[in-house]
Structures are given as C-alpha cells and as structure tokens.
C-alpha cells in the first residue's frame, strides 16, 4: 500500500469481575474501564450469576474473589474453566494461606493477587496473564516456591504445617486462630496432633525438628 503500513490497534481485553464488596468491585471496574485496551463486560456479586452468563459475556479474563455468598470462588474457578477453558482467571483476595492458594491454582486459576496491591499491579497482571504469564503477589510467589523446597514426605497436613509455621514466627494461639479463621480449641487440637506426629513434647522441640527435617 505505497509502502505505508497500517497500525493495528491492540485487541481489547474483555474482563468480568466476581466480587461481593461493592466498593472494591466498582473501584476495579472504574480503573479497568478507564484504561485503554481493557473493557469490563460485566461485574457480579455471586459466582452463580457469572457462570450463568459466561458464554454471552465471553470474557478473556475473570477476576475472582474467594469468599463469596453461595458458591465460593474456588468452586467457581473450576466451573468456569470447564465451560470456557481459554478464559484466564486471576484470584484477587485477602487470603494468603497456602491451602487456599493451591486449591485455587489446582482448580484452574492462572494468577493470584492480594487486595492490598497497588492499582497498577492489577492492570499489569491482566496483561501478563493474557501474554501467557502467571501473575502472583510477591508473598504468594514466595509461598509457592517455599512449598517446593519442603519435604514432600511430611507427616503433617497442610493445615498443621501452616499452624507450625505461624508458631515458628512467634504467633500466639489466639493470633493463629484469628488468622486461619478458626477457634482457639481447633488450634490446640492441631498442635496436639503435631506433637504426636513429630514425637516431641514442646513447641521449641517441634519447631527445631520441623526446620531440621525441612517440614516448614
């Protein structure tokens, strides 16, 4: 064409948000819609509604919370991936415990961000996942790497390992219970099981043995 090349505009990335907090949902939508090359096709309060409209919305990317009314985000991820395998899903949540991270990734999430990120990080993550990346908050990525460095033959469950890690950081039973959203008695039961499995009789012995055997 007389040596002149036409510039192609980048394809608009279509995005759905599933988030039950109105302020956060509206804030994300405003940020994304005001960014060139991005378009919010729908926002939802519940997973069930997002799944019902997934084919008509045809999103490239879904931003998914975990704690939602009705169906939780992890179940929602699995259902969306089954219906539209090519849709990329990024978890955006307040939760950082490794059990939820791995459940989300196993269900089909391609990224995992925490809500305390800078706004620009969300936009970067959307571009990144569309380019084949796996965007994660720094602390989440560190957690994933650490899990591969642990002894895979640990006698402890994922939750017991988490409790022991928090104990090793000097957290109290009350703080651990609050952080894991369980009651203090549940934490005591986990610790009894840890002592029994590791054949130790104190917190110090449990932590020492766990570090030595790469259980935490």
């Amino acid at each position: 064409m007389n040596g002149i090349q036409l510039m192609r505009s980048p394809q608009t990335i279509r995005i759905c948000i599933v988030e039950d907090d109105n302020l956060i949902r509206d804030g994300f939508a405003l940020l994304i819609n005001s960014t060139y090359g991005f378009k919010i096709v729908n926002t939802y309060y519940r997973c069930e509604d997002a799944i019902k409209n997934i084919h008509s919305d045809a999103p490239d990317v879904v931003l998914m919370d975990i704690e939602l009314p009705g169906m939780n985000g992890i179940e929602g991820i699995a259902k969306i991936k089954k219906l539209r395998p090519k849709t990329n899903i990024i978890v955006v949540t307040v939760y950082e415990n490794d059990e939820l991270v791995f459940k989300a990734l196993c269900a089909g999430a391609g990224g995992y961000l925490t809500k305390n990120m800078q706004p620009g990080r969300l936009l970067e993550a959307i571009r990144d996942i569309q380019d084949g990346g796996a965007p994660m908050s720094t602390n989440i990525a560190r957690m994933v790497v650490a899990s591969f460095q642990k002894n895979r033959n640990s006698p402890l469950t994922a939750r017991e390992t988490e409790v022991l890690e928090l104990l090793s950081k000097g957290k109290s039973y009350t703080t651990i219970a609050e952080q894991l959203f369980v009651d203090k008695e549940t934490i005591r039961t986990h610790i009894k099981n840890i002592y029994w499995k590791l054949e130790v009789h104190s917190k110090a012995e449990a932590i020492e043995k766990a570090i030595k055997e790469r259980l935490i």
Side-chain angles (χ1 to χ4, degrees):
M1 301 181 71
N2 298 328
I4 299 173
Q5 290 187 327
L6 295 175
M7 294 286 290
R8 292 181 63 195
S9 59
Q11 187 177 358
T12 299
I13 301 173
R14 297 168 58 83
I15 299 144
C16 280
I17 301 172
V18 186
E19 166 63 64
D20 63 332
D21 184 305
N22 295 341
L23 279 175
I24 292 173
R25 189 174 64 246
D26 294 348
F28 285 169
L30 183 63
L31 171 71
I32 291 165
N33 260 340
S34 61
T35 304
Y36 177 70
F38 290 29
K39 180 187 178 183
I40 294 290
V41 289
N42 233 323
T43 66
Y44 296 100
Y45 177 81
R46 291 155 36 94
C47 252
E48 290 87 341
D49 297 329
I51 291 164
K52 188 168 63 179
N53 296 320
I54 198 71
H55 289 303
S56 56
D57 287 342
D60 299 306
V61 177
V62 173
L63 303 180
M64 176 74 75
D65 192 11
I66 286 183
E67 192 66 36
L68 293 161
M71 183 188 297
N72 69 42
I74 290 168
E75 290 177 74
I77 291 165
K79 288 182 184 296
I80 288 170
K81 290 301 283 186
K82 193 172 181 182
L83 292 168
R84 277 185 63 87
K86 291 187 178 178
T87 291
N88 289 310
I89 302 175
I90 302 173
V91 172
V92 187
T93 182
V94 295
Y95 297 106
E96 295 183 18
N97 75 67
D98 54 5
E99 197 172 348
L100 284 179
V101 172
F102 288 108
K103 278 183 180 176
L105 297 177
C106 289
Y112 199 110
L113 303 174
T114 48
K115 288 180 181 174
N116 59 0
M117 66 187 156
Q118 294 296 314
R121 178 68 184 110
L122 182 63
L123 301 174
E124 282 172 21
I126 293 168
R127 288 192 192 97
D128 189 11
I129 204 165
Q130 278 299 97
D131 290 340
M136 293 189 193
S137 297
T138 306
N139 47 343
I140 299 297
R142 198 177 292 126
M143 187 188 297
V144 171
V145 171
S147 74
F148 286 103
Q149 295 170 340
K150 288 176 191 168
N151 183 341
R152 308 312 291 178
N153 298 315
S154 172
L156 306 179
T157 65
R159 181 45 63 96
E160 286 164 358
T161 302
E162 196 171 11
V163 169
L164 192 50
E165 282 175 342
L166 291 169
L167 269 181
S168 73
K169 292 173 184 172
K171 306 282 187 188
S172 68
Y173 287 15
T174 304
T175 305
I176 295 171
E178 286 170 358
Q179 197 164 329
L180 300 183
F181 302 95
V182 296
D183 58 48
K184 207 193 291 190
E185 202 50 51
T186 302
I187 299 302
R188 286 200 181 95
T189 301
H190 283 315
I191 289 166
K192 272 186 206 166
N193 291 337
I194 291 166
Y195 286 7
W196 179 75
K197 288 180 179 180
L198 298 186
E199 299 177 342
V200 297
H201 304 286
S202 71
K203 181 173 77 171
E205 282 181 55
I207 293 166
E208 185 183 358
K209 187 165 186 177
I211 291 170
K212 189 177 177 183
E213 296 185 6
R214 292 190 300 115
L215 305 180
I216 60 172

